[in-house]
Amino acid sequence: MMEQSVLDNRIRVVTRRMEGVRSISLGFLMAAGPMDEAEDRGGVAHLAEHLMFAGTGQRDADEIARMMDTTGGQIGGFTSRDYTCFTTTVLDDYRTYLIDLMGDLLLNSRFVDYAVHQEKETIIRELSAQLDRPDVCAHERLKAHVWQGHPLGRPIGGTIASVASLQQDDVIRFVRDYYQPRRLIIAAAGNVRHQDVVANVADAFWMMPDDGKTDTDPIRPTFRGGVTVECKGVSHVYFSIGLHAAPYAAAERYLIHLLTAILGGGMSSRLFRKLRQELGMVYEITAEYQAYRDDGVIVIEGATTPELLHPVLSHIFVEVIGMAQQTLPILADELWIAKMQLQGQHIIAQENSHTCMSSLATQAFYFNRFIDSSEILDQILHVDLEGINAIAAHMLTEGLRHSAIALVGPSCEQVCNTVALETMLRDFQ
């Protein structure tokens, strides 16, 4: 059973009771993140998330860590392109304590100078480590290219230069301006009673004042196609292909998820069977629908040797064009496998309190309503062959018109010849 309440200061509390479990998962989703950053302050949202665990006036970082270990649970946070979220999973005995702790962290974190400096160094090392991963570099390069000039295209953690320039005042100002109660969704799943959680939240967050403002609609990004290349000292070339798609809350989202599952969502998918099992040109290849509040993209990623790059890219685009033009339409057995795959993944996820909590929070954020599990399964299972082929024709045709390729690989003719790559891309558009 799912329930929702809105407190006087506009904090939303959403819960789902799960029978037969002793755990409770809590999520504190703050609709503040990279979308709210000034261009020259990239990474301040991620830095603020790190610093939430660095201590308050009542608890220092060591005390927070000791108390969490005592509960036998886990606490953490992450920053996405659309929001920042803090999560914890503990035994139900510790519900009141955890909500009180998170209230203290979100309202009273101190952001002292030495902690800011320490976490900046930690994040800079994290960003430096990502530069050693060509697959991550290709993915980030793709998004920076297709959403150039928009916050969606910026790296979530910022750049080494932007993080190094951040100061204590930047964090304090960001939290003061954007950590507002109207932006906060508190989700709980597990062995919970809704009114108990509401009472705990009211006690812990009553001092979080509502500023009375209304957020303005964000500027929608423009999707940019083309080719972008980075040469590094690696032996393989890592590719990330982007096809423009619909935002997160689009009505056709289930069809797009099924489409990408058929294209590259598993061992039975078209691209895996063709390029890995039949031709042996890649070790791994995936396709995924990645959607955000303001836009979306179908991402096809993998790696191969430089001499096989152009044949691999050609095979991928031939498959996509075949689905778009219906010369290679989706078949009944492919649709059935994709339905079973998504249905199974959803049912398994619903048995875990953490994933249930995450679903509650994101549904409240993106849809402002609950989507029952039965509705999700019904939407998946009732997609028919005509419908999936129609969305494939429309979505992929439009996506190909605004397609992009990001490469990270060795300095060689196959990788660095952007003119040849752009010509190939235009031929397939």
Side-chain angles (χ1 to χ4, degrees), residues 29-50:
L29 187 154
M30 186 66 73
M35 299 294 287
D36 302 298
E37 295 173 345
E39 190 169 359
D40 61 346
R41 292 293 179 266
V44 66
H46 185 229
L47 178 59
E49 173 235 307
H50 274 235

Side-chain angles (χ1 to χ4, degrees), residues 204-223:
F205 288 86
W206 68 273
M207 289 184 64
M208 196 175 199
D210 177 17
D211 62 8
K213 295 181 181 178
T214 301
D215 295 315
T216 57
D217 292 332
I219 298 173
R220 293 290 298 273
T222 299
F223 197 94

Side-chain angles (χ1 to χ4, degrees), residues 53-92:
F53 301 98
T56 70
Q58 299 180 49
R59 302 173 173 95
D60 61 24
D62 288 339
E63 183 179 356
I64 293 168
R66 285 195 302 270
M67 289 304 297
M68 280 308 305
D69 288 343
T70 302
T71 67
Q74 298 177 337
I75 188 170
F78 66 89
T79 307
S80 78
R81 281 177 161 79
D82 283 337
Y83 56 80
T84 303
C85 192
F86 304 92
T87 65
T88 179
T89 300
V90 293
L91 290 175
D92 50 11

